[in-house]
């Protein structure tokens, strides 16, 4: 398994074509059969692997930043009579457990970004199923606001995973069918156990799609619905967007250096240090300056770098168990950026910038590593960067003799960067409204004793104890069963209300993890293992669990 | 592994002593070391196995029905200086995956019954931790309304599973710590990775217990708090309760015959038929008659029988994949019982009867088998028994030429038997309020075409198609990967809002299932496998997933 790279741009796409016509963008899927990330499988029938989804995620991100004029996105297939066959089965069958889980996680995140884009950014989405959408192909459609299915007697939507592969739909399909589209759960039961899926009128009647449209009228109806969706948008009528340039990124065996972010790996201890630096150059003071300066702004670039570092950790540094979160620089510079973003958040680009930061922080919440924040003199745990400490599983703040070590809140801690549950990280951390209110009431910074009393940090060792206490805590953590830590951290981080989003990750992903490890799916005679092998049928241990 | 029996009574308890003093009951835990369900482990330090929990569940049920005067329950240990060491590790290490999962499920259900009892029945609960409560021992305390911990410099509360055993606390501990007790999630992170736990003042300060009380004042404080909790109850001041007699139960290789329920097993097809019969004798017409007649009433006995049949299926018939739900008898007799219960639901015993039915139906929702309801002429899918069809993953109703086959709603379908999500089964099934309202607006029965149109059944084959369609559906279902079906059914059945209860089952249980299958926990060198073996330490695959 080679190193997975998450950075791409449209000039390098092999699987998608992004076409923008005024307010309507169309993402056309045409997966290159020989374009898989790894050898060993052909991406037939618009089936996909992680590489296809990396391009999709990139296209969505660029659409948001670079095309302010776009108000609706149509996702369709550039192949005849097939929309997408979903995740490539042979890729899944040859992948390790950890890879499958990470692949499903990234794909889930990307699907949720489509929904966030519609809800928060004013770019509605329409799945134009010009042919059969199976498994993950249909799950991609489920992530759109509307689904039109061509009604030609053959095109179907289906979730064939349970019946054919012995696994679950991996990217939220079950949850979206019943909770988002409100398909009756008995219909969903039939649908999800029927390999051939459901076509035409029945698919529409059951709510699996919004409309089944004869082929002769399909394109016209897609255009009509896209225009109707676009009409509801609050995006600006015209004007330029912001290009997202390639990240400055120097990778070595010791880690990755970005412009504002550094990832250092200590493989012997299985510990990484992820450092985010505060802005060192003057930053835009309003929305117009942000637009003029483009994506070089710290508020965009630093967070894109952090996102890339997290994805790299997940995909390419599997054995790192503990990630130490650090910050450096001038807290006042972070606060200035935060205040500008909060003040101008009605602007479309500022909104996109805040949503980017929100997504990156959610990516951290969903990264299956132990995060400890270390707050030391010279750090910049202020506002948006303090969210890193609040996202951490726990935090240590040096109670220095000088009393100079400090953390500070900004308007962005007041719910502008919410978690998947809808709670702010301060709410999730402090668990009591009055404690949240007390912390937010203070404009000044908190020294270590004050931060400890306010609940902003977990522990505040003094200079005598610091080294030993932190070293021991990290060593102990790195020595525990990594699976149990994953389950524990996922449970504790998901405190509070459940949403479609948390349900998909908490409930569905956990079930999928279990099923992926079971011999009935992935053993030598498991359904996933023998799929497509001539003359072989799965053999099951019938005991229900 | 022998057959597990779920029926017991206080004369047979080996591990608990139930002591009732006026309004205050005390359940004292004194687990018999040699009283394990299976050979191979000693139940030291009040550690428990499924047998201990079966007695606990029985004691709670009897307290509710037989002791209307009780208004608060104290759970404590009859051993010196130890409350409970939690689930027995050696029992877990020698159990099959399916057994561990079923054990955790039953124990979770019992913990939730404690919470339901406090919320719905007016019997508040107090955990009097007169010594250390570890793992499942502390999780039992977490299921109580209040926790008092003796403060003697040694007694602690702890969740040592992650650190010592490489698994998660199995009965809701993580969720209850952060979501119920609102312990800060960073404190919970520290606590849940610290094998020795937290003592005294810090446990109280962090909210892990309500009070840490010096030993000299412990008993007095327990009595004081129990009296304060009891004072809030709405239970009747005096009067008799209802004894729960042994169930009439004839087990054979072919299944189990009860008074009102029959379970028939077809092992070759891996299909069971679970039939519930409508009342055949006159039933109590008001609350006073229900009290006089006691637990022989159909509304109590039939549901106790159904509960036992479900538990038997789970524990003792692992290979049965599909359960056909049938009913027999006079629908009017069910409706009459339902109407009486709805009318008199303010009465304590009627309330208990409805709560019993609610719990049994939730047990069905949480049973990892595929349920298909078969509605045929002569059946009694009315009101409370129609809930069985609504709980089923899908249902088939014979569209008979005579039009005599019918289903009918009762007041109990209007939210009096809610699911764990808080939704009625009609709401969960129909997914749209206006469809629920339309179904509830009709007092008359629904023939097959009407039931199909209203969404009360999934399919309505006619007499020509019935046999073939049902046979094929059952055969296909029984042939699918049972693990994938478990995950799929759990996902679809959990449509709607998430609650503490659904979070515990959906999120925590699913993670636990995964971890239980991983070599890091249960492989030859896994943490659970080598625990307590001299000189052996776990060996982990460090890749985070």
């Amino acid at each position: 398994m080679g190193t997975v790279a998450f950075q791409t741009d449209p000039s390098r796409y092999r699987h998608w074509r992004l076409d923008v016509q005024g307010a309507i963008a169309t993402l056309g899927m045409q997966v290159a059969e020989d374009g898989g990330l790894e050898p060993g499988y052909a991406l037939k029938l618009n089936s996909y692997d992680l590489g296809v989804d990396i391009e999709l995620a990139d296209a969505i991100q660029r659409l948001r930043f670079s095309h302010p004029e776009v108000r609706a996105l149509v996702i369709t297939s550039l192949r005849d009579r097939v929309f997408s066959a979903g995740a490539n089965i042979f890729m899944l069958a040859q992948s390790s457990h950890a890879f499958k889980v990470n692949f499903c996680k990234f794909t889930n995140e990307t699907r949720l970004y489509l929904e966030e884009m519609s809800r928060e950014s004013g770019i509605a989405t329409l799945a134009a199923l010009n042919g059969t959408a199976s498994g993950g192909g249909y799950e991609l459609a489920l992530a759109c606001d509307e689904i039109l299915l061509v009604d030609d007697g053959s095109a179907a939507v289906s979730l064939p995973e349970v019946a054919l592969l012995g696994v679950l739909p991996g990217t939220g399909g079950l949850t979206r069918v019943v909770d988002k589209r409100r398909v009756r759960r008995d219909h969903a039961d039939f649908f999800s156990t029927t390999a051939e899926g459901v076509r035409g009128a029945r698919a529409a009647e059951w709510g699996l799609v919004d409309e089944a449209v004869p082929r002769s009228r399909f394109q016209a109806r897609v255009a009509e619905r896209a225009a109707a969706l676009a009409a509801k948008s609050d995006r600006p009528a015209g004007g330029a967007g912001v290009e997202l340039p390639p990240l400055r990124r120097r990778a070595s065996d010791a880690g990755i250096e970005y412009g504002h972010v550094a990832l250092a790996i200590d493989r012997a201890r299985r510990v990484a240090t992820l450092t985010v630096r505060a802005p060192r150059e003057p930053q835009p003071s309003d929305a117009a300056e942000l637009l003029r300066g483009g994506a070089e702004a710290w508020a965009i670039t630093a967070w894109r770098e952090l996102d890339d570092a997290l994805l790299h950790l997940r995909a390419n540094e599997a054995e790192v168990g503990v990630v130490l979160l650090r910050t450096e620089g001038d807290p006042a510079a972070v606060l200035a950026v935060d205040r500008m973003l909060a003040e101008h958040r009605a602007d479309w680009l500022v909104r996109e910038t805040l949503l980017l930061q929100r997504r990156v922080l959610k990516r951290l919440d969903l990264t299956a590593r132990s995060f400890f924040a270390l707050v030391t003199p010279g750090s910049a745990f202020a506002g948006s960067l303090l969210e890193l400490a609040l996202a951490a599983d726990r935090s240590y703040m040096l109670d220095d003799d000088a009393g100079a070590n400090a953390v500070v809140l900004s308007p962005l801690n007041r719910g502008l960067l919410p978690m998947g549950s809808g709670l702010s990280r301060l709410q999730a951390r402090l668990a009591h409204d009055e404690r949240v209110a007390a912390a937010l009431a203070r404009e000044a910074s908190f020294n270590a004793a004050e931060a400890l009393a306010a609940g902003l940090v977990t522990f505040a060792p003094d200079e005598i104890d610091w080294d030993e206490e932190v070293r021991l805590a990290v060593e102990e953590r790195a020595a525990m069963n990594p699976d149990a830590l994953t389950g524990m951290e996922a449970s504790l981080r998901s405190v509070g209300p459940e949403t479609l989003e948390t349900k998909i990750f908490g409930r569905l992903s956990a079930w999928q993890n279990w099923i992926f490890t079971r011999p009935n799916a992935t053993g030598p005679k498991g359904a996933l293992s023998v799929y497509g092998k001539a003359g072989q049928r799965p053999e099951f241990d019938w005991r229900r669990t």
Side-chain angles (χ1 to χ4, degrees), chain A residues 374 489 527:
Chain A
L374 301 184
E489 289 155 4

Side-chain angles (χ1 to χ4, degrees), chain A residues 6 50 53 98-113 170-171 310-311 314 362-369 486 489-490 493 504-505 509-510 512-513 516:
Chain A
F6 290 87
L50 179 58
D53 237 53
F99 182 86
K100 281 200 290 289
V101 169
N102 266 311
F103 165 65
C104 285
K105 187 179 281 185
F106 182 81
T107 303
N108 267 312
E109 287 171 322
T110 306
R111 308 287 156 96
L112 286 162
Y113 294 171
T171 55
L310 290 168
L311 289 169
R314 282 190 192 171
K362 284 186 185 177
R363 185 97 79 191
L364 196 159
D365 295 331
L366 289 170
T367 296
R369 310 298 166 98
T486 292
E489 289 155 4
R493 291 177 194 171
I504 286 171
F505 285 111
S509 300
Q512 186 75 303
N513 280 9
F516 274 155

Side-chain angles (χ1 to χ4, degrees), chain A residues 367-446:
Chain A
T367 296
R369 310 298 166 98
S370 301
F371 288 97
F372 287 4
L374 301 184
V375 184
T376 49
S379 67
F381 283 102
S384 53
L385 292 190
L386 180 61
E387 291 286 318
L388 299 175
L390 296 171
D393 297 297
R394 63 172 89 152
S395 51
Y396 291 82
M397 183 169 182
L398 177 63
D399 190 358
D400 57 330
D401 295 341
N405 196 21
V407 299
V408 62
L409 296 165
S410 87
L412 297 201
N413 304 116
R414 297 178 176 270
L416 287 174
L417 300 168
M419 305 179 69
S421 64
L423 296 181
S424 72
R425 276 179 198 76
L426 210 51
Q427 290 175 311
R429 169 63 57 115
L430 298 181
H432 292 269
D433 290 346
E434 64 278 12
R435 293 184 197 161
V436 174
L440 288 172
R442 182 187 177 106
E443 292 226 1
S445 63
F446 296 75

Side-chain angles (χ1 to χ4, degrees), chain A residues 305-350:
Chain A
E305 292 172 353
L306 179 55
D307 204 32
D308 188 72
L310 290 168
L311 289 169
H312 174 75
L313 260 176
R314 282 190 192 171
N316 303 318
E317 293 288 352
E319 292 212 349
V320 166
V322 181
V323 179
L324 304 177
L325 294 169
R326 288 182 171 277
T327 56
E328 282 176 14
D330 181 7
V334 180
L335 290 183
V337 171
D338 284 8
R339 289 198 189 106
M340 187 284 279
L341 295 173
E343 188 183 338
H344 299 282
R345 63 182 182 273
D347 173 77
W348 77 269
L349 180 58
V350 173

Side-chain angles (χ1 to χ4, degrees), chain A residues 442-485:
Chain A
R442 182 187 177 106
E443 292 226 1
S445 63
F446 296 75
N447 69 24
E450 291 162 345
L452 186 70
L456 298 177
V457 296
T458 316
F459 299 111
D462 62 20
E463 294 180 358
I464 296 169
D465 293 335
W466 174 267
D467 283 350
E468 180 76 354
E469 185 168 339
V470 172
R471 186 184 59 75
L472 264 178
V474 172
E475 269 180 19
E476 282 180 11
R477 187 70 157 217
M480 289 180 196
N481 177 359
D483 306 328
L485 288 175

Side-chain angles (χ1 to χ4, degrees), chain A residues 14-286:
Chain A
R14 295 202 59 192
H15 311 297
W16 295 91
R17 203 169 73 205
L18 178 60
D19 177 40
V20 177
Q21 300 285 345
I24 312 291
T26 301
L27 252 176
M29 190 178 198
Q30 189 165 28
V31 176
E33 287 196 10
D34 62 349
L37 271 188
E38 294 284 315
Y41 52 88
L43 296 174
K44 296 190 181 185
L45 298 172
N46 271 356
S47 64
Y48 60 83
D49 69 355
L50 179 58
V52 178
D53 237 53
I54 288 172
E55 290 186 6
L56 175 62
D58 185 76
I60 297 170
Q61 179 101 298
R62 287 178 193 279
L63 195 61
R64 301 172 73 152
F65 277 95
S66 311
H67 295 279
E69 76 279 18
V70 168
R71 296 163 165 244
L73 169 65
V74 176
I75 299 183
T76 193
S77 161
L78 301 180
R79 294 194 183 284
D80 261 357
R81 310 210 170 234
V82 61
F83 176 74
S84 164
N88 187 276
I89 313 306
F90 304 100
M91 175 278 293
L92 286 175
Q94 78 180 44
S95 297
S96 70
H97 179 59
F99 182 86
K100 281 200 290 289
V101 169
N102 266 311
F103 165 65
C104 285
K105 187 179 281 185
F106 182 81
T107 303
N108 267 312
E109 287 171 322
T110 306
R111 308 287 156 96
L112 286 162
Y113 294 171
L114 281 170
E115 290 171 323
E116 187 225 55
M117 181 175 78
S118 169
R119 197 176 56 243
E120 307 280 349
S121 291
I123 305 179
T125 51
L126 174 68
L129 307 185
N130 51 325
T132 289
S134 308
Y138 178 53
E139 294 185 290
L140 174 58
L142 285 168
C144 294
D145 298 322
E146 281 192 29
I147 307 175
L148 300 191
L149 172 65
V150 71
D151 189 4
D152 62 359
S154 107
V157 294
S158 70
L159 293 176
E161 287 88 344
V162 172
L164 285 189
L165 310 172
V167 300
L168 296 188
T171 55
L174 297 173
T175 301
R176 283 199 179 86
V177 164
V178 292
D179 276 311
K180 179 181 180 183
R181 295 195 61 89
R182 300 209 281 170
V183 172
R184 275 170 47 186
R185 73 175 187 81
D186 54 339
H187 288 161
D189 178 90
F190 176 84
F191 174 65
S192 309
T193 51
T194 303
E196 63 272 26
V198 171
R199 287 191 300 271
R202 182 181 253 192
E205 186 198 328
W206 284 9
L208 295 164
V209 305
D210 291 284
E211 285 179 46
V213 185
R215 191 168 286 281
S216 60
R217 291 196 281 119
F218 189 72
Q219 288 311 327
R221 186 64 183 150
V222 167
E224 194 174 279
R225 288 306 309 153
L229 289 169
K232 291 190 262 177
S233 174
D234 65 350
R235 288 209 121 199
V242 160
E243 290 301 317
L244 300 175
L247 297 178
R248 287 182 297 273
R249 188 180 190 281
R250 285 202 316 278
S252 71
D253 190 54
I256 304 179
E257 268 297 325
Y258 302 86
H260 305 284
V261 170
L263 176 69
I265 312 280
D266 179 343
R267 290 208 174 71
R269 294 166 65 216
R270 289 181 283 100
V271 175
T273 301
L274 185 53
T275 305
V276 183
R277 299 182 199 102
R280 284 159 295 183
E281 309 289 328
Q283 294 297 313
S285 64
D286 61 23

